Amino acid sequence: MAGATLEMLRQVPLFAPLGAARLADVDAMAQRRRFRRGEVLFHRGDPGSMLYVLLGGRVRIYSPSEDGSEMVLAILGPGEFFGELSLLDGLPRSASAQAIEECDALVIGRDEFHRFLRQHPGASIAVLGVLSRRLRRTDELLEDAAFLDVPGRLAKRLLELMDSNGEPVDGGTLIRLRLTHAELAAMVGATRESITKAMKRFARAGLLEAHGHFVVVRSPEGLRRRVS
């Protein structure tokens, strides 16, 4: 196993308790895959037979609607895994997954995943922990939709993206993701037009700057006040 892959697997909660020999077993049962930017890994409603473990790049998990709109449920990065629900309950995919950057991933089949959980009960606890956090996140999104207006939801989402994908730059923090207004709208459950208005309002107030599809947060405190 390549050293980089071994180190990455150590960062995955599912595999963290395993020693080097067991991690080598994980690598042996998995396939290494690369996905192009924009490539859809699976669609909602597809049969689910694979678990994905990200080694590099980022993937968005989203729920499409019949009218063509979307709700972005999560943006996942290196060390995170997804696709486990269908492997556990045998039902079709509950959401779609798309690479928003070129991605490297380990892909593990259903039978291998079930065998791994039987051999390593501690990994089942890790899976339950991830599922619990994602359920809490869904509850939080529902609460935000009920109690925050569009600028408040946008400010909260930008702060979350800054924390998970931020890079310090002169006078602020760059969110290292290409973000169109349509994509931000899908993250907060709003229209593109309402996001454009809120972004302009935040820029006029000196809270952020937009540079093409990238955002620099200038005043996290100002965004936090908008959420409260």
Side-chain angles (χ1 to χ4, degrees):
M1 176 190 294
T5 301
L6 175 63
E7 186 58 34
M8 181 57 67
L9 287 177
R10 287 197 181 103
Q11 306 305 314
V12 179
L14 191 61
F15 307 130
L18 305 181
R22 293 293 188 181
L23 289 176
D25 292 340
V26 171
D27 186 57
M29 73 179 179
Q31 299 178 17
R32 187 79 175 259
R33 295 280 304 278
R34 175 163 291 180
F35 300 95
R36 302 182 307 276
R37 179 173 176 266
E39 184 174 353
V40 175
L41 282 66
F42 54 79
H43 294 277
R44 186 176 68 177
D46 285 350
S49 60
M50 295 289 180
L51 175 79
Y52 296 79
V53 182
L54 277 178
L55 302 179
R58 289 176 175 81
V59 166
R60 70 183 187 119
I61 308 299
Y62 65 100
S63 180
S65 68
E66 293 182 358
D67 65 5
S69 60
E70 298 174 350
M71 169 62 77
V72 175
L73 304 174
I75 294 179
L76 305 178
E80 297 186 274
F81 62 90
F82 58 96
E84 73 287 342
L85 272 183
S86 291
L87 271 65
L88 294 173
D89 62 18
L91 297 177
R93 298 293 190 188
S94 61
S96 301
Q98 182 183 38
I100 58 176
E101 301 172 351
E102 185 175 273
C103 293
D104 285 314
L106 290 180
V107 181
I108 302 173
R110 180 195 304 274
D111 292 342
E112 290 81 5
F113 182 58
H114 285 184
R115 183 164 56 251
F116 171 75
L117 292 181
R118 286 193 296 270
Q119 293 173 349
H120 305 285
S124 298
I125 302 299
V127 171
L128 289 174
V130 170
L131 292 177
S132 296
R133 288 191 292 274
R134 290 177 182 171
L135 180 58
R136 289 177 184 273
R137 174 59 178 163
T138 299
D139 290 343
E140 186 177 356
L141 290 173
L142 291 173
E143 290 179 3
D144 290 347
F147 300 118
L148 294 177
D149 59 11
V150 170
R153 300 202 300 272
L154 175 62
K156 184 175 182 179
R157 191 59 170 145
L158 289 172
L159 288 168
E160 292 170 350
L161 292 171
M162 184 189 73
D163 289 340
S164 60
N165 298 277
E167 176 183 314
V169 295
D170 186 27
T173 302
L174 170 68
I175 297 175
R176 294 180 290 105
L177 292 173
R178 293 173 56 88
L179 297 168
T180 67
H181 288 187
E183 289 167 335
L184 286 170
M187 292 181 190
V188 302
T191 64
R192 182 183 59 79
E193 292 78 11
S194 62
I195 293 299
T196 297
K197 291 179 181 178
M199 289 289 286
K200 289 181 177 178
R201 188 182 309 168
F202 290 166
R204 288 196 298 269
L207 306 185
L208 57 79
E209 290 181 4
H211 299 275
H213 292 319
F214 292 91
V215 174
V216 175
V217 175
R218 296 297 187 190
S219 175
E221 296 79 9
L223 288 178
R224 292 190 186 98
R225 287 194 295 270
R226 189 60 190 82
V227 176
S228 60

